[in-house]
Amino acid sequence: MKSWDGDGRQNLEQKLRRAFGDIRSFWGCKDRDSVFLYASEEYGNIIGVKHHRDVEGRTDFDMPCRT
């Protein structure tokens, strides 16, 4: 997994929000190893994390529900 510093994470989030920010839906973005880089607030809510950013660095197998 690639380690993101604060600036890198903020830059990624800004790019994703520009690309998908108007989409009010359940979605997430993963890297080539299927590790989450970001997920929408709606996605975070349906999988049961406290904050949608809690998915970062996790795979589907690390989530609190079966995905």
Side-chain angles (χ1 to χ4, degrees), residues 10-60:
Q10 185 177 20
N11 189 29
L12 173 65
E13 183 175 354
Q14 289 172 352
K15 288 180 181 179
L16 291 171
R17 283 185 185 269
R18 271 195 301 264
F20 301 105
D22 292 335
I23 300 173
R24 301 295 300 173
S25 184
F26 314 104
W27 63 272
C29 177
K30 297 179 183 179
D31 67 13
R32 66 176 68 174
D33 296 317
S34 295
V35 175
F36 277 92
L37 299 172
Y38 187 81
S40 68
E41 290 183 41
E42 292 84 0
Y43 187 84
N45 289 335
I46 66 169
I47 62 168
V49 293
K50 289 183 180 182
H51 191 275
H52 67 102
R53 301 286 302 266
D54 291 341
V55 303
E56 294 173 11
R58 295 182 178 189
T59 67
D60 289 328

